[in-house]
Structures are given as structure tokens and as C-alpha cells.
Amino acid sequence: MKTHKGFFLTIEGTEGVGKSTALKYIQDYLTQAGKKFIVTREPGGTGIAEQIRQVLLTPNSVETMVPETELLLMFACRVQHVQQVILPALAAGKWVVSDRFIDASFAYQGGGRGIDVSRIELLEKWLLPDLKPDLTLLFDAPAQIGLERAKHRGAQDRIEQEKIDFFERVRAGYLERMQRDKNRFRVIDATRSLEKVQVELKKILDEIVVGRN
Ligand code: Z5A
């Protein structure tokens, strides 16, 4: 049951599928619609969480990060982010638009790393008993497409250095999570042109914003 006044929108998908591009579009849309909003991201979103993000994403040629360490650090960031940023903004009636949230842990640490989903659910129940996104936009495309789009960027971070089968498992993890909570998700076919994706985004945002006026 929804317990906040604002609107919590999360954006998910595998590497390079167009989340950051969509985020800019959403930001412009909400500005033009005169909505109060904040844009944030995971892992990160507060000073402490951004410090943990560095630990999570900096490549380490000496030591391999254990999957459970990765999962717990993601949740450490998340708790900090939720308490310090997300809940206060939602309580103030704002939109919170987050580039990734809890579904990423199910997809990356569950699907990608193979941690049992029931263990991630335990953390979810303990740490986030009352908070769910109102809507999650899942940008979906075969991993190869996202990796092609992303390869023109600079150095890869620790997780980006994974191989394609890892990202295919992540994609499957997202789709499985979506199947368990279909009403919350909108799956966006990210293989299409940017223009087509943006037409769909506008339609979804129109539905919510008009519906909430
Ligand atoms: N992670 C995790 O493991 N567990 C967790 O619980 C959480 C996160 C919360 C954070 O990375 C990493 O943490 C991430 C998951 C993990 N690791 N990986 N991989 P991040 O979210 O900060 O960054 P990212 O996932 O690597 O995002 P990204 O690579 O920046 O992808 P993107 O934002 O989806 O892509 P983009 O920058 O919008 O687009 C990429 C390029 O494609 C760009 O040149 C665009 O102009 C172009 N583009 C976008 N859309 C289109 C279309 N439709 N057609 C053609 N070209 C397009």
C-alpha cells in the first residue's frame, strides 16, 4: 500500500540501454509540467552512498569482490539513500526519479551473480518494508545492443567489465522480477530508435501527470 504523498519513479535496465538518456527527457518533461521533483541514482545519491559507490565500481586488479559483499554494499547505499533523500522528498510531495533502485539488486546480484532471490527478499523485507516505487520503467534490449551503444564511452567500471553472458543473466533477472510485480512495471522496448522510445515515454508520463492533476 502506498504510504507517501509524492511519486516514486525508478528507471532500470542493463548497461547502455538508454536510462540516462530517458532520465534527461523525464527531467525536461517534469520541469515543463511544473512538477516538484528530484533526480537521484543508485548506487549513490548521498555523500556516504557515493563513497560506497566508488568502492563498488572501481576496478580492483588485486582482489575480487565477493558477490555477498557487493549485495550488502548495494543495500548499505540504498538504506542511506532512502532515509536521507528519498523518504523526505516523497513526504514533501515531490516526485523522486531514481536511476536504478532495488530491482537492480535482484537483476545484477540475483540474476547476474547468482545469489538466491530469497536472500535478497530478506534484505528487502528488513530494510525497505514500506517503500516500493510507484512505477518502474524497465528499458529492455538484448545485452549486445546496450554494450554496443555504451562502448564508445571511456574506461569501463568494475561491473561493466563483465562478459556478455553476465548481462544476459541480468536482463533475465529483470524480466523475472517484472513478472512477479507486473502492475508496477512498464517494459519499454529499448531496441527502437530514440524518437520512438521518447514517444512512448511521453505517453506514459502524460497518463500519470494528467491522472494526478
Ligand atoms: N548495480 C548493481 O549491480 N546492483 C544494484 O543494486 C544497483 C546497481 C543499484 C551502476 O551503473 C552500476 O551498478 C550498474 C549496475 C550496478 N552496472 N553496470 N553495468 P550506472 O547505472 O551508473 O550506469 P550504467 O548502468 O552503466 O548505465 P549506462 O551504461 O550509463 O547506461 P544507460 O544510462 O542506460 O545508457 P545511456 O547513457 O542513456 O545510453 C548509452 C548510449 O546509447 C548513449 O550514447 C545514447 O545516446 C545512446 N542511446 C540511448 N538510447 C538510444 C536508442 N533508443 N537508440 C540508439 N541509441 C541510443
Side-chain angles (χ1 to χ4, degrees):
M1 194 186 65
K2 183 167 161 137
T3 53
H4 51 260
K5 284 199 289 171
F7 192 85
F8 187 20
L9 172 63
T10 59
I11 304 177
E12 300 279 1
T14 54
E15 161 90 353
V17 282
K19 292 182 295 15
S20 310
T21 314
L23 203 83
K24 288 195 199 91
Y25 181 87
I26 293 168
Q27 209 165 336
D28 289 347
Y29 180 101
L30 292 177
T31 304
Q32 278 179 19
K35 295 288 169 193
K36 288 193 177 139
F37 66 93
I38 61 162
V39 171
T40 186
R41 69 170 181 184
E42 287 205 352
T46 82
I48 290 174
E50 290 289 333
Q51 284 180 312
I52 303 172
R53 178 185 173 97
Q54 291 305 316
V55 176
L56 277 161
L57 298 186
T58 305
N60 186 331
S61 58
V62 181
E63 187 179 350
T64 302
M65 188 178 286
V66 172
E68 285 77 6
T69 304
E70 191 176 86
L71 176 68
L72 293 171
L73 287 178
M74 291 294 175
F75 268 89
C77 284
R78 185 161 299 129
V79 173
Q80 196 70 23
H81 188 208
V82 166
Q83 300 287 338
Q84 298 291 317
V85 175
I86 296 179
L87 290 179
L90 290 174
K94 292 181 186 164
W95 278 60
V96 173
V97 185
S98 186
D99 187 347
R100 300 192 186 280
F101 191 61
I102 191 162
D103 301 308
S105 293
F106 284 88
Y108 280 80
Q109 283 66 54
R113 303 284 187 218
I115 296 178
D116 200 291
V117 164
S118 63
R119 294 194 186 277
I120 309 177
E121 282 170 346
L122 281 180
L123 291 171
E124 181 181 32
K125 282 197 190 103
W126 174 33
L127 299 166
L128 302 173
D130 299 320
L131 181 64
K132 267 200 179 210
D134 297 301
L135 175 69
T136 298
L137 302 178
L138 174 57
F139 286 76
D140 180 57
Q144 184 63 42
I145 291 186
L147 295 177
E148 280 294 321
R149 287 181 189 163
K151 79 177 178 197
H152 306 292
R153 288 187 306 220
Q156 293 175 314
D157 68 38
R158 189 181 60 81
I159 298 177
E160 286 168 349
Q161 289 176 351
E162 288 296 334
K163 303 215 164 45
I164 185 156
D165 54 337
F166 172 84
F167 293 104
E168 283 300 355
R169 290 198 301 278
V170 171
R171 182 189 184 200
Y174 270 127
L175 292 172
E176 193 186 319
R177 177 86 170 150
M178 181 273 293
Q179 288 295 337
R180 290 173 181 226
D181 198 358
K182 279 189 180 160
N183 290 339
R184 172 166 66 86
F185 278 87
R186 293 288 282 263
V187 181
I188 295 181
D189 175 359
T191 62
R192 295 169 304 165
S193 69
L194 200 51
E195 293 70 26
K196 287 200 171 135
V197 167
Q198 290 184 345
V199 167
E200 185 172 355
L201 265 180
K202 180 172 184 318
K203 200 165 150 256
I204 294 170
L205 290 168
D206 283 348
E207 276 170 30
I208 305 166
V209 170
V210 172
R212 290 175 62 82
N213 270 341

